[in-house]
Amino acid sequence: LLAGHSSGGVASYHPVLDQQSLRRLQLGTELESAMAEKQITVVFQPIVDTRTSDIVSVETLVRWAHPRYGNVPPDDFIGLAEQIGRIGAVTDYVLDLALERCRKWLDQDIALSVAVNLSARCLAEPDLVDRVRGALRHHGVPGSLLTLELTEGIVVDDSVRNSTVLADLHSLGLRLSMDDFGTGYSSLSQLRQLPIDELKIDKSFVLGMSTSQSESFIARSIVELAHNLGLRVVAEGVEDEVTRDLLAEMGCDKLQGFLVSRPLPDDRLENWLLARTGVRSATPGAPHRRL
Ligand code: C2E
Ligand code: MG
Ligand code: MG
Ligand code: MG
């Protein structure tokens, strides 16, 4: 925050806050109140079965509608929240909204599973497993309806591999998904040792598939790798039909991307579900349906 500049050969230092640093500082101090005031919300992006096009899950993605800065993307404040030690609070907030929504669907006899992104830092928090268990209990949502998405980089971190945190999370009955797969450095043996259920092919590969042979080859390799290890595989960033058809031909299990739907606020997701499946609240007591 200190910018030096010299005048007349004598260096003098003035504290200068450039626009970007100022913004970061403000976002950091406002994070807590933004959650309390519901400036921070979540949207849900459908994930569908490649073969049947049935919706199988929704990914919860955080949004910040800032009064002065407009929409601040998660890439601009998740890392910041990590740095200032507030990512645990953001995670709890997002998990709460996701499970609250999941519970409302359950009350309509719709068993739709939700995915929540988990930051690197969260895995090091000693009370993480208790907090996740507590949130599931609080909302009365079975662990089987929750997926936690972890990025590849953190999962291969030694301290994570040497701890029982992933196994403890898994024992809550939830699924663990390795997000942004292909961008990190996990080895085959690491993949085999970890209690991971699913790989998500990073969108950087998927976005290039329709035009690039090599991206397409990488996607195909990841699909085969996942299946050889007994894992499910999801492609994120599916924007066009050519890509969808290629992924279907490769046997990729699930698809997510703008072609299917953009991330939607919950009322619009409800309409999307209705338009697509004709699902309405079923008669009370009817068995939960899997969409
Ligand atoms: P991610 O978990 O890999 O999420 C997928 C990102 O790809 C989302 O960006 C989504 O909007 C975008 N996306 C989905 N389909 C398409 C497509 O067809 N084309 C393109 N170009 N993009 C697509 P978003 O919402 O900006 O989130 C960015 C990242 O921020 C996420 O990547 C995730 O790592 C992080 N993030 C979002 N919400 C949370 C959260 O609640 N907690 C944590 N820890 N991280 C979050
Ligand atoms: Mg994700
Ligand atoms: Mg991803
Ligand atoms: Mg990502």
Side-chain angles (χ1 to χ4, degrees), residues 143-258:
S144 58
L145 288 180
L146 177 65
T147 298
L148 293 176
E149 299 192 0
L150 316 156
T151 53
E152 188 182 2
I154 61 173
V155 171
V156 300
D157 187 277
D158 274 344
S159 60
V160 169
R161 279 197 297 135
N162 295 334
S163 81
T164 59
V165 62
L166 294 181
D168 293 345
L169 285 172
H170 211 226
S171 70
L172 299 177
L174 49 79
R175 271 175 298 207
L176 295 176
S177 180
M178 203 185 268
D179 208 347
D180 303 340
F181 189 77
T183 59
Y185 302 95
S186 49
S187 71
L188 285 177
S189 66
Q190 284 168 342
L191 270 183
R192 222 162 37 83
Q193 284 160 19
L194 295 167
I196 295 287
D197 305 285
E198 179 183 275
L199 301 183
K200 290 187 88 167
I201 309 172
D202 189 68
K203 64 174 179 289
S204 62
F205 305 117
V206 179
L207 289 170
M209 273 180 67
S210 59
T211 49
S212 157
Q213 284 264 315
S214 59
E215 308 292 338
S216 192
F217 178 75
I218 292 169
R220 186 182 298 276
S221 305
I222 296 175
V223 171
E224 280 171 17
L225 169 65
H227 287 163
N228 286 336
L229 291 169
L231 308 175
R232 305 321 268 332
V233 59
V234 187
E236 62 175 22
V238 182
E239 292 190 353
D240 59 71
E241 274 141 20
V242 174
T243 303
R244 180 196 58 200
D245 293 347
L246 276 168
L247 287 161
E249 180 260 317
M250 292 172 189
C252 182
D253 302 292
K254 304 176 205 173
L255 307 176
Q256 175 182 7
F258 297 166

Side-chain angles (χ1 to χ4, degrees), residues 104-151:
K104 283 187 187 152
W105 285 319
L106 274 177
D107 293 339
Q108 297 174 268
D109 288 313
I110 298 167
L112 182 56
S113 82
V114 290
V116 170
N117 291 283
L118 204 59
S119 273
R121 295 286 163 94
C122 291
L123 290 178
E125 295 163 349
D127 60 348
L128 176 70
V129 180
D130 289 336
R131 278 157 45 219
V132 174
R133 185 192 293 111
L136 287 166
R137 276 210 192 123
H138 175 75
H139 291 284
V141 171
S144 58
L145 288 180
L146 177 65
T147 298
L148 293 176
E149 299 192 0
L150 316 156
T151 53

